[in-house]
Amino acid sequence: MTSTNEAPAGAAGEGPVEKVLAGTGTFLDDRLHAAKSTRTLLKKVFPDHWTFLLGEIALYSFIILLLTGTFLTLFFKPSMTSLVYHGTYSRLDGVRMSEAYASTLNISFDVRGGLLMRQIHHWAADLFMAAIMAHMIRIFFTGAYRKPRELNWLIGITLFTLGMLEGLFGYSLPDDLLSGAGLRILEGVILGIPIVGTYISFFLFGGQFPGMDIIPRLYIIHVLLIPGLLLALITAHLFLMFHQKHTQMPGKGRTDKNVVGQPLYPYFMAKTGAFFFFVFGVLALLSALAQINPVWLYGPYNPVAMSAGSQPDFYMGMLEGALRIFPNWSWNLWGHTFAWNVLIPALVPLGLLFTGAALWPFLERWITGDQREHHVNDRPRNAATRTAIGIAVITWYGIMWLEGANDVIADHFQISLYTTTEIARYAVVIGPVIAYILTKRICLGLQRKDAATLLHGYETGIIQMRPNGEYVELHAPVPEEERAVLEARTTAPLPLEAGSDDDSGVPDPALRGPVGKLRLALNRVVTESVPLPVGNGHGTNGHGNGHGGNGHGSSVAGEPERAAVTSGEDGKTLLGRDSPEDPGEH
Amino acid sequence: MSSTEGYTGDFPPGGGPDGGEAEASRAPHRVIGTPPPAEQRTLLGTSESDAPPAPPRELPADPDDLAGASRAEKIVAALFILAMLAGFGFIAAYIGLPLGASLDSVLRSNLALGISMGVAFMAMGVGAVIWVRRLMPDVELTEARKPLASPPEDREAFAETFREGAETSQFVKRPILRRSLIAATVPLLLAPLVLLRDLGPLPGTKLRHTVWRKGLRLVISDTGRPIRPADFGSPGGMITVIPEGYQTNDNALVKATAIIIKFEPGELKYPTNLKWTVDNIVAYSKICTHVGCPVALYEQTTHHILCPCHQSTFDATKGATVLFGPANRPLPQLPMGVDSEGYLVALSDFKVPVGPSFWERG
């Protein structure tokens, strides 16, 4: 668009770019009035960090799932009609099976590329869930869910839940031995639900398990209902990310009032396009080289058979582990069965995880009283309590997940099967506590190290003798870029006392009641951190209290501090927040 | 990522101190936010005559290392050509490797298609990354971020519109209108739920019963052969049995499948019901009382029956009571006898419901 000025192509009408602009560009703009908005879009700046790719992996896995899934629907027959197989795969010749299983064999053995598409579809589903988990973990540890992004965090949790269901249902469609057993377990879990369990089960399966209806029903949910919801929610997720602009990692010149990165066009477009090819390429190579879900080896579903070492897909492993770990508690009261041994492991761990995750941003905001917008991500160490909670939850999840494969572990490591379960029963309670304490100590230690580095600089290893005979070690000052990262505590939680709702500095009377005392106690835990050295730390700490109107500014306003920070030509500093002439504001 | 030197930053007019003072030191950082003047007209490059001079460019045209870029261009082109060849390879593999009757031909085709496809995509991806990193100049731009909250005047204007609408609609003022509308929606929301009623029959007592009945023969699940106690040479493994005539009825087998095990005399103990055993052969339900997997594993030396799904373990000598794991109840024992021809038969249905717990089980 600016090439009329400098580019060798010269005047309008020459060169392919000019032709596109004059032709297609004019045609579209005459009809859409889109020049201005599209230009803004093309110039949109995207921050860069390797962890920002995790969500993209999930997005591209989803697109690949849609493409390969559409291919599979052209050949798959979601029918439980029984038939006797006489197809290409001779080892199952003459075996009674459902039409769904037979058509899966057909896709694998008679449709060229069918096996590849099936394997890509399955690998992509696993990658989709793995990427969502990794993405969610990144968002949590960097505090990227904080205001104003709580809504996107909730959408993300919904996507995770829907993804699990979608995967479970897709896994059940081929009607092989393992998927049938998975459905059987699903039925057993549903039956355990008080009052309505048997009714839900009979309505879902169209009568007694397995019936004739479950696969056609799961099929339409799997190929239309849930993908439609996923597509809508992913669109909303991306739109919100776009509208609110992506967070950025702390660094020189990065503040809560700017976005530093590369523009959508041409940089981000090319990079993200490349990344799509990587994801697709890796999935294609995996599917060529690593077999996944070879349903022809399992055989068709057979209610009388089951094999050992059968694990669900990894994202259901936690549920499987919880079912294995939980003691066999059950009550018989008033003529009814309370099957705690099924109900609790099936509903409570995942329920706690998703509810806890959904409430956490709001709980944290209530505890800290932090009403500011946050666009610069936290370094995990700088939010010691949050990081410790995250690691504790991962430990808790991980132990149950491992227990989901305890028979494999017992087999490979020559441990008694029961011992693995006994260990897991204790570990699932004690492990998270230990993880919490350790992580918090490590985070605070790292904060202390950062503070020391900021105060004294790096140890150079050079010992110098002073004229008075004193030996000192020379310390090199921290480079500007690193200093910006170490000082990035802009987002550290405020102590609640200081952050009360008016500017008087007097603690809120609401904090005197029992709830207020609880809030204060939690606040002390959550805000526990090692202070940054005075003169450096406070400058950045106070910066950013934009919307709370809290009384914390008093420690910042001092001109000398500001000078101390800005003197380093630190582009970040207080400029963005304090200068009234910020162009973005007008 | 460092900023690139050598081109002029474009700061919005009247951009304050950022525009003046900072321009020299932070030239590459261009604050996007206010569009440069007259961008509309020059965009399409058609109306040259009345257009003011175009704004200075914001992105450098070429990378610093031109020689390196030319080398990179060759590498990228080579990768793109590789992607093209791999793409043709995919088509060739599709046409040239038909699927035969053997599993090998399927796996060969899968390997060729997958590798050619994977190489094509990876070459495209690697090529594009080198293109971005070596051929495009490295820039870093700073875009201003506006607070998300709308300015107070916008909020007030919105509130005014909302209030006006609420008032004009009479919705707030007229409670009968409002309440009758809410009342109207209730059945409309319930209707879809009612529609789901015919998804399946009501459970009734179906979960309490299986197809076993007096005189129904136990047959081996694989072969369908009936069993005589004398067929067991010596105590040993576990045999899966099903009711005769139901070999292809999955709905029946899901609950009725059972196992039989023969023991040495005296091995079977309380609470096994010895009256339901024949010649030290006992029959239990094969459906785990936890969540319903078939309990498919049996350890002869310890007489433990193990469910492969969640490892509930049952003691086969003691009425299949629970030894370990999440199952709460023993596997129900099938009352078993022999018929006039000496074959094993059921004496009745199971006396307690088989399989997983359910609310109405009691």
Side-chain angles (χ1 to χ4, degrees), chain A residues 299-336:
Chain A
Y301 176 60
N302 174 357
V304 305
M306 187 62 207
S307 64
S310 35
Q311 263 67 41
D313 274 354
F314 84 96
Y315 46 85
M316 301 301 290
M318 181 242 207
L319 209 55
E320 177 84 357
L323 279 170
R324 292 180 185 197
I325 227 172
F326 202 76
N328 63 344
W329 301 341
S330 177
W331 292 349
N332 245 331
L333 288 178
W334 310 295
H336 291 294

mmCIF file of all heavy atoms in Angstrom, chain A residues 299-336:
data_model
loop_
_atom_site.group_PDB
_atom_site.id
_atom_site.type_symbol
_atom_site.label_atom_id
_atom_site.label_comp_id
_atom_site.label_asym_id
_atom_site.label_seq_id
_atom_site.Cartn_x
_atom_site.Cartn_y
_atom_site.Cartn_z
ATOM 1 N N GLY A 299 -10.536 -56.875 18.151
ATOM 2 C CA GLY A 299 -11.742 -57.623 17.823
ATOM 3 C C GLY A 299 -12.985 -56.822 18.138
ATOM 4 O O GLY A 299 -12.913 -55.774 18.789
ATOM 5 N N PRO A 300 -14.148 -57.309 17.666
ATOM 6 C CA PRO A 300 -15.389 -56.587 17.907
ATOM 7 C C PRO A 300 -15.777 -56.653 19.383
ATOM 8 O O PRO A 300 -15.266 -57.492 20.125
ATOM 9 C CB PRO A 300 -16.404 -57.327 17.046
ATOM 10 C CG PRO A 300 -15.859 -58.693 16.904
ATOM 11 C CD PRO A 300 -14.373 -58.564 16.918
ATOM 12 N N TYR A 301 -16.689 -55.787 19.782
ATOM 13 C CA TYR A 301 -17.142 -55.807 21.176
ATOM 14 C C TYR A 301 -17.821 -57.132 21.480
ATOM 15 O O TYR A 301 -18.617 -57.638 20.700
ATOM 16 C CB TYR A 301 -18.119 -54.668 21.463
ATOM 17 C CG TYR A 301 -18.656 -54.747 22.871
ATOM 18 C CD1 TYR A 301 -17.785 -54.691 23.949
ATOM 19 C CD2 TYR A 301 -20.008 -54.932 23.127
ATOM 20 C CE1 TYR A 301 -18.246 -54.802 25.251
ATOM 21 C CE2 TYR A 301 -20.486 -55.036 24.431
ATOM 22 C CZ TYR A 301 -19.587 -54.975 25.482
ATOM 23 O OH TYR A 301 -20.045 -55.091 26.774
ATOM 24 N N ASN A 302 -17.460 -57.662 22.618
ATOM 25 C CA ASN A 302 -17.975 -58.942 23.022
ATOM 26 C C ASN A 302 -18.213 -58.853 24.523
ATOM 27 O O ASN A 302 -17.268 -58.689 25.289
ATOM 28 C CB ASN A 302 -16.917 -60.003 22.681
ATOM 29 C CG ASN A 302 -17.293 -61.374 23.192
ATOM 30 O OD1 ASN A 302 -18.313 -61.542 23.860
ATOM 31 N ND2 ASN A 302 -16.468 -62.356 22.897
ATOM 32 N N PRO A 303 -19.482 -58.935 24.953
ATOM 33 C CA PRO A 303 -19.768 -58.666 26.367
ATOM 34 C C PRO A 303 -19.157 -59.682 27.319
ATOM 35 O O PRO A 303 -19.122 -59.434 28.513
ATOM 36 C CB PRO A 303 -21.297 -58.702 26.423
ATOM 37 C CG PRO A 303 -21.730 -59.421 25.214
ATOM 38 C CD PRO A 303 -20.687 -59.204 24.179
ATOM 39 N N VAL A 304 -18.672 -60.801 26.825
ATOM 40 C CA VAL A 304 -18.149 -61.801 27.752
ATOM 41 C C VAL A 304 -16.638 -61.699 27.924
ATOM 42 O O VAL A 304 -16.076 -62.394 28.756
ATOM 43 C CB VAL A 304 -18.509 -63.245 27.319
ATOM 44 C CG1 VAL A 304 -19.999 -63.375 27.140
ATOM 45 C CG2 VAL A 304 -17.778 -63.641 26.057
ATOM 46 N N ALA A 305 -15.971 -60.846 27.120
ATOM 47 C CA ALA A 305 -14.507 -60.831 27.146
ATOM 48 C C ALA A 305 -13.949 -59.486 27.570
ATOM 49 O O ALA A 305 -14.596 -58.451 27.432
ATOM 50 C CB ALA A 305 -13.957 -61.200 25.765
ATOM 51 N N MET A 306 -12.755 -59.527 28.084
ATOM 52 C CA MET A 306 -12.048 -58.298 28.440
ATOM 53 C C MET A 306 -10.587 -58.677 28.592
ATOM 54 O O MET A 306 -10.271 -59.768 29.033
ATOM 55 C CB MET A 306 -12.583 -57.742 29.766
ATOM 56 C CG MET A 306 -12.032 -56.389 30.143
ATOM 57 S SD MET A 306 -12.487 -55.153 28.928
ATOM 58 C CE MET A 306 -11.143 -54.016 29.129
ATOM 59 N N SER A 307 -9.704 -57.762 28.206
ATOM 60 C CA SER A 307 -8.292 -58.096 28.345
ATOM 61 C C SER A 307 -7.638 -57.170 29.360
ATOM 62 O O SER A 307 -8.098 -56.065 29.591
ATOM 63 C CB SER A 307 -7.583 -57.978 26.996
ATOM 64 O OG SER A 307 -7.621 -56.643 26.568
ATOM 65 N N ALA A 308 -6.550 -57.637 29.945
ATOM 66 C CA ALA A 308 -5.805 -56.821 30.906
ATOM 67 C C ALA A 308 -4.991 -55.777 30.146
ATOM 68 O O ALA A 308 -4.797 -55.877 28.946
ATOM 69 C CB ALA A 308 -4.892 -57.690 31.740
ATOM 70 N N GLY A 309 -4.518 -54.816 30.902
ATOM 71 C CA GLY A 309 -3.684 -53.783 30.298
ATOM 72 C C GLY A 309 -4.449 -52.891 29.355
ATOM 73 O O GLY A 309 -3.873 -52.295 28.447
ATOM 74 N N SER A 310 -5.757 -52.797 29.547
ATOM 75 C CA SER A 310 -6.517 -51.936 28.645
ATOM 76 C C SER A 310 -6.694 -50.568 29.296
ATOM 77 O O SER A 310 -7.286 -50.460 30.366
ATOM 78 C CB SER A 310 -7.870 -52.561 28.344
ATOM 79 O OG SER A 310 -8.362 -53.232 29.467
ATOM 80 N N GLN A 311 -6.133 -49.564 28.634
ATOM 81 C CA GLN A 311 -6.221 -48.212 29.148
ATOM 82 C C GLN A 311 -7.061 -47.374 28.193
ATOM 83 O O GLN A 311 -7.033 -47.598 26.986
ATOM 84 C CB GLN A 311 -4.823 -47.584 29.251
ATOM 85 C CG GLN A 311 -4.207 -47.676 30.625
ATOM 86 C CD GLN A 311 -3.895 -49.096 31.027
ATOM 87 O OE1 GLN A 311 -3.431 -49.875 30.219
ATOM 88 N NE2 GLN A 311 -4.162 -49.443 32.271
ATOM 89 N N PRO A 312 -7.785 -46.411 28.734
ATOM 90 C CA PRO A 312 -8.474 -45.477 27.839
ATOM 91 C C PRO A 312 -7.458 -44.492 27.264
ATOM 92 O O PRO A 312 -6.270 -44.563 27.592
ATOM 93 C CB PRO A 312 -9.446 -44.770 28.779
ATOM 94 C CG PRO A 312 -8.780 -44.819 30.110
ATOM 95 C CD PRO A 312 -7.994 -46.089 30.132
ATOM 96 N N ASP A 313 -7.920 -43.575 26.422
ATOM 97 C CA ASP A 313 -7.026 -42.524 25.956
ATOM 98 C C ASP A 313 -6.562 -41.711 27.159
ATOM 99 O O ASP A 313 -7.247 -41.643 28.169
ATOM 100 C CB ASP A 313 -7.743 -41.631 24.933
ATOM 101 C CG ASP A 313 -7.626 -42.207 23.525
ATOM 102 O OD1 ASP A 313 -6.900 -43.205 23.366
ATOM 103 O OD2 ASP A 313 -8.245 -41.662 22.603
ATOM 104 N N PHE A 314 -5.394 -41.071 26.991
ATOM 105 C CA PHE A 314 -4.718 -40.542 28.180
ATOM 106 C C PHE A 314 -5.551 -39.515 28.953
ATOM 107 O O PHE A 314 -5.450 -39.424 30.170
ATOM 108 C CB PHE A 314 -3.370 -39.927 27.778
ATOM 109 C CG PHE A 314 -3.479 -38.513 27.300
ATOM 110 C CD1 PHE A 314 -3.248 -37.470 28.185
ATOM 111 C CD2 PHE A 314 -3.832 -38.207 26.004
ATOM 112 C CE1 PHE A 314 -3.360 -36.160 27.767
ATOM 113 C CE2 PHE A 314 -3.951 -36.910 25.590
ATOM 114 C CZ PHE A 314 -3.720 -35.879 26.473
ATOM 115 N N TYR A 315 -6.402 -38.769 28.229
ATOM 116 C CA TYR A 315 -7.125 -37.710 28.923
ATOM 117 C C TYR A 315 -8.243 -38.264 29.803
ATOM 118 O O TYR A 315 -8.837 -37.533 30.570
ATOM 119 C CB TYR A 315 -7.690 -36.695 27.925
ATOM 120 C CG TYR A 315 -8.373 -37.322 26.734
ATOM 121 C CD1 TYR A 315 -9.698 -37.705 26.789
ATOM 122 C CD2 TYR A 315 -7.668 -37.556 25.567
ATOM 123 C CE1 TYR A 315 -10.305 -38.310 25.705
ATOM 124 C CE2 TYR A 315 -8.266 -38.160 24.480
ATOM 125 C CZ TYR A 315 -9.580 -38.524 24.556
ATOM 126 O OH TYR A 315 -10.180 -39.135 23.485
ATOM 127 N N MET A 316 -8.561 -39.559 29.667
ATOM 128 C CA MET A 316 -9.526 -40.168 30.579
ATOM 129 C C MET A 316 -8.809 -40.935 31.687
ATOM 130 O O MET A 316 -9.453 -41.517 32.562
ATOM 131 C CB MET A 316 -10.441 -41.144 29.835
ATOM 132 C CG MET A 316 -11.251 -40.541 28.712
ATOM 133 S SD MET A 316 -12.324 -39.203 29.234
ATOM 134 C CE MET A 316 -13.525 -40.112 30.179
ATOM 135 N N GLY A 317 -7.492 -40.951 31.638
ATOM 136 C CA GLY A 317 -6.707 -41.770 32.568
ATOM 137 C C GLY A 317 -6.929 -41.387 34.014
ATOM 138 O O GLY A 317 -6.933 -42.236 34.907
ATOM 139 N N MET A 318 -7.137 -40.087 34.271
ATOM 140 C CA MET A 318 -7.320 -39.635 35.637
ATOM 141 C C MET A 318 -8.599 -40.223 36.225
ATOM 142 O O MET A 318 -8.635 -40.655 37.378
ATOM 143 C CB MET A 318 -7.368 -38.119 35.631
ATOM 144 C CG MET A 318 -7.532 -37.516 36.983
ATOM 145 S SD MET A 318 -9.042 -36.611 37.092
ATOM 146 C CE MET A 318 -8.605 -35.430 38.360
ATOM 147 N N LEU A 319 -9.644 -40.256 35.403
ATOM 148 C CA LEU A 319 -10.916 -40.814 35.838
ATOM 149 C C LEU A 319 -10.763 -42.307 36.125
ATOM 150 O O LEU A 319 -11.250 -42.833 37.133
ATOM 151 C CB LEU A 319 -11.941 -40.598 34.727
ATOM 152 C CG LEU A 319 -13.393 -40.456 35.090
ATOM 153 C CD1 LEU A 319 -13.581 -39.357 36.100
ATOM 154 C CD2 LEU A 319 -14.194 -40.155 33.834
ATOM 155 N N GLU A 320 -10.060 -42.982 35.226
ATOM 156 C CA GLU A 320 -9.808 -44.414 35.382
ATOM 157 C C GLU A 320 -9.024 -44.680 36.666
ATOM 158 O O GLU A 320 -9.355 -45.583 37.429
ATOM 159 C CB GLU A 320 -9.023 -44.889 34.145
ATOM 160 C CG GLU A 320 -8.609 -46.335 34.165
ATOM 161 C CD GLU A 320 -9.711 -47.264 33.689
ATOM 162 O OE1 GLU A 320 -10.808 -46.757 33.397
ATOM 163 O OE2 GLU A 320 -9.469 -48.474 33.635
ATOM 164 N N GLY A 321 -8.004 -43.853 36.907
ATOM 165 C CA GLY A 321 -7.197 -44.017 38.112
ATOM 166 C C GLY A 321 -8.021 -43.786 39.371
ATOM 167 O O GLY A 321 -7.891 -44.514 40.356
ATOM 168 N N ALA A 322 -8.882 -42.766 39.324
ATOM 169 C CA ALA A 322 -9.713 -42.469 40.490
ATOM 170 C C ALA A 322 -10.612 -43.664 40.806
ATOM 171 O O ALA A 322 -10.806 -44.026 41.975
ATOM 172 C CB ALA A 322 -10.545 -41.220 40.228
ATOM 173 N N LEU A 323 -11.144 -44.304 39.753
ATOM 174 C CA LEU A 323 -12.006 -45.469 39.962
ATOM 175 C C LEU A 323 -11.221 -46.615 40.590
ATOM 176 O O LEU A 323 -11.757 -47.412 41.361
ATOM 177 C CB LEU A 323 -12.607 -45.927 38.630
ATOM 178 C CG LEU A 323 -13.834 -45.167 38.132
ATOM 179 C CD1 LEU A 323 -14.166 -45.562 36.712
ATOM 180 C CD2 LEU A 323 -15.036 -45.436 39.038
ATOM 181 N N ARG A 324 -9.935 -46.718 40.220
ATOM 182 C CA ARG A 324 -9.127 -47.821 40.762
ATOM 183 C C ARG A 324 -8.702 -47.558 42.195
ATOM 184 O O ARG A 324 -8.537 -48.485 42.989
ATOM 185 C CB ARG A 324 -7.862 -47.991 39.902
ATOM 186 C CG ARG A 324 -8.183 -48.490 38.518
ATOM 187 C CD ARG A 324 -6.945 -48.647 37.667
ATOM 188 N NE ARG A 324 -7.350 -49.015 36.314
ATOM 189 C CZ ARG A 324 -6.536 -49.536 35.417
ATOM 190 N NH1 ARG A 324 -5.273 -49.732 35.701
ATOM 191 N NH2 ARG A 324 -6.983 -49.848 34.223
ATOM 192 N N ILE A 325 -8.471 -46.308 42.493
ATOM 193 C CA ILE A 325 -7.859 -45.939 43.764
ATOM 194 C C ILE A 325 -8.875 -45.940 44.901
ATOM 195 O O ILE A 325 -8.543 -46.206 46.046
ATOM 196 C CB ILE A 325 -7.275 -44.514 43.582
ATOM 197 C CG1 ILE A 325 -5.860 -44.420 44.108
ATOM 198 C CG2 ILE A 325 -8.076 -43.460 44.263
ATOM 199 C CD1 ILE A 325 -5.243 -43.077 43.752
ATOM 200 N N PHE A 326 -10.118 -45.614 44.605
ATOM 201 C CA PHE A 326 -11.048 -45.289 45.679
ATOM 202 C C PHE A 326 -11.464 -46.546 46.431
ATOM 203 O O PHE A 326 -11.752 -47.581 45.840
ATOM 204 C CB PHE A 326 -12.276 -44.563 45.119
ATOM 205 C CG PHE A 326 -12.981 -43.760 46.168
ATOM 206 C CD1 PHE A 326 -12.455 -42.551 46.595
ATOM 207 C CD2 PHE A 326 -14.133 -44.226 46.758
ATOM 208 C CE1 PHE A 326 -13.079 -41.827 47.582
ATOM 209 C CE2 PHE A 326 -14.774 -43.499 47.745
ATOM 210 C CZ PHE A 326 -14.240 -42.291 48.166
ATOM 211 N N PRO A 327 -11.527 -46.473 47.774
ATOM 212 C CA PRO A 327 -11.941 -47.638 48.572
ATOM 213 C C PRO A 327 -13.368 -48.062 48.217
ATOM 214 O O PRO A 327 -14.142 -47.261 47.697
ATOM 215 C CB PRO A 327 -11.879 -47.123 50.011
ATOM 216 C CG PRO A 327 -11.088 -45.879 49.971
ATOM 217 C CD PRO A 327 -11.210 -45.318 48.605
ATOM 218 N N ASN A 328 -13.692 -49.291 48.549
ATOM 219 C CA ASN A 328 -14.975 -49.849 48.088
ATOM 220 C C ASN A 328 -16.132 -49.479 49.010
ATOM 221 O O ASN A 328 -16.891 -50.333 49.449
ATOM 222 C CB ASN A 328 -14.867 -51.366 47.948
ATOM 223 C CG ASN A 328 -14.596 -52.041 49.278
ATOM 224 O OD1 ASN A 328 -14.206 -51.384 50.238
ATOM 225 N ND2 ASN A 328 -14.797 -53.344 49.331
ATOM 226 N N TRP A 329 -16.261 -48.206 49.332
ATOM 227 C CA TRP A 329 -17.339 -47.776 50.210
ATOM 228 C C TRP A 329 -18.671 -47.791 49.486
ATOM 229 O O TRP A 329 -18.776 -47.360 48.342
ATOM 230 C CB TRP A 329 -17.085 -46.354 50.725
ATOM 231 C CG TRP A 329 -15.804 -46.224 51.470
ATOM 232 C CD1 TRP A 329 -15.069 -47.231 52.029
ATOM 233 C CD2 TRP A 329 -15.093 -45.009 51.729
ATOM 234 N NE1 TRP A 329 -13.947 -46.715 52.631
ATOM 235 C CE2 TRP A 329 -13.934 -45.360 52.461
ATOM 236 C CE3 TRP A 329 -15.318 -43.670 51.428
ATOM 237 C CZ2 TRP A 329 -13.010 -44.404 52.880
ATOM 238 C CZ3 TRP A 329 -14.405 -42.723 51.851
ATOM 239 C CH2 TRP A 329 -13.256 -43.096 52.572
ATOM 240 N N SER A 330 -19.668 -48.257 50.193
ATOM 241 C CA SER A 330 -21.012 -48.281 49.636
ATOM 242 C C SER A 330 -21.990 -48.426 50.781
ATOM 243 O O SER A 330 -21.701 -49.130 51.746
ATOM 244 C CB SER A 330 -21.141 -49.461 48.665
ATOM 245 O OG SER A 330 -22.444 -49.537 48.160
ATOM 246 N N TRP A 331 -23.102 -47.734 50.688
ATOM 247 C CA TRP A 331 -24.100 -47.835 51.743
ATOM 248 C C TRP A 331 -25.377 -48.427 51.190
ATOM 249 O O TRP A 331 -25.722 -48.206 50.030
ATOM 250 C CB TRP A 331 -24.463 -46.457 52.316
ATOM 251 C CG TRP A 331 -23.380 -45.790 53.074
ATOM 252 C CD1 TRP A 331 -22.206 -46.336 53.481
ATOM 253 C CD2 TRP A 331 -23.373 -44.418 53.484
ATOM 254 N NE1 TRP A 331 -21.455 -45.399 54.135
ATOM 255 C CE2 TRP A 331 -22.147 -44.216 54.160
ATOM 256 C CE3 TRP A 331 -24.269 -43.370 53.377
ATOM 257 C CZ2 TRP A 331 -21.805 -42.983 54.697
ATOM 258 C CZ3 TRP A 331 -23.932 -42.147 53.914
ATOM 259 C CH2 TRP A 331 -22.704 -41.958 54.581
ATOM 260 N N ASN A 332 -26.077 -49.111 52.081
ATOM 261 C CA ASN A 332 -27.419 -49.568 51.751
ATOM 262 C C ASN A 332 -28.360 -48.966 52.762
ATOM 263 O O ASN A 332 -28.383 -49.384 53.922
ATOM 264 C CB ASN A 332 -27.485 -51.092 51.828
ATOM 265 C CG ASN A 332 -27.747 -51.666 50.470
ATOM 266 O OD1 ASN A 332 -28.377 -51.021 49.638
ATOM 267 N ND2 ASN A 332 -27.259 -52.859 50.234
ATOM 268 N N LEU A 333 -29.094 -47.968 52.388
ATOM 269 C CA LEU A 333 -29.958 -47.273 53.344
ATOM 270 C C LEU A 333 -31.338 -47.111 52.753
ATOM 271 O O LEU A 333 -31.471 -46.757 51.565
ATOM 272 C CB LEU A 333 -29.387 -45.892 53.660
ATOM 273 C CG LEU A 333 -28.122 -45.832 54.540
ATOM 274 C CD1 LEU A 333 -27.677 -44.402 54.700
ATOM 275 C CD2 LEU A 333 -28.393 -46.451 55.906
ATOM 276 N N TRP A 334 -32.348 -47.293 53.569
ATOM 277 C CA TRP A 334 -33.733 -47.081 53.160
ATOM 278 C C TRP A 334 -34.035 -47.779 51.832
ATOM 279 O O TRP A 334 -34.726 -47.253 50.974
ATOM 280 C CB TRP A 334 -34.031 -45.579 53.028
ATOM 281 C CG TRP A 334 -33.596 -44.816 54.228
ATOM 282 C CD1 TRP A 334 -34.097 -44.924 55.487
ATOM 283 C CD2 TRP A 334 -32.551 -43.825 54.294
ATOM 284 N NE1 TRP A 334 -33.429 -44.075 56.335
ATOM 285 C CE2 TRP A 334 -32.487 -43.391 55.630
ATOM 286 C CE3 TRP A 334 -31.666 -43.287 53.359
ATOM 287 C CZ2 TRP A 334 -31.570 -42.426 56.048
ATOM 288 C CZ3 TRP A 334 -30.760 -42.330 53.769
ATOM 289 C CH2 TRP A 334 -30.713 -41.915 55.113
ATOM 290 N N GLY A 335 -33.485 -48.939 51.656
ATOM 291 C CA GLY A 335 -33.756 -49.697 50.441
ATOM 292 C C GLY A 335 -33.098 -49.156 49.191
ATOM 293 O O GLY A 335 -33.496 -49.490 48.085
ATOM 294 N N HIS A 336 -32.096 -48.301 49.381
ATOM 295 C CA HIS A 336 -31.413 -47.755 48.213
ATOM 296 C C HIS A 336 -29.904 -47.903 48.361
ATOM 297 O O HIS A 336 -29.375 -47.981 49.461
ATOM 298 C CB HIS A 336 -31.763 -46.280 48.018
ATOM 299 C CG HIS A 336 -33.177 -46.077 47.598
ATOM 300 N ND1 HIS A 336 -33.655 -46.502 46.382
ATOM 301 C CD2 HIS A 336 -34.231 -45.508 48.231
ATOM 302 C CE1 HIS A 336 -34.931 -46.203 46.275
ATOM 303 N NE2 HIS A 336 -35.318 -45.601 47.392
#
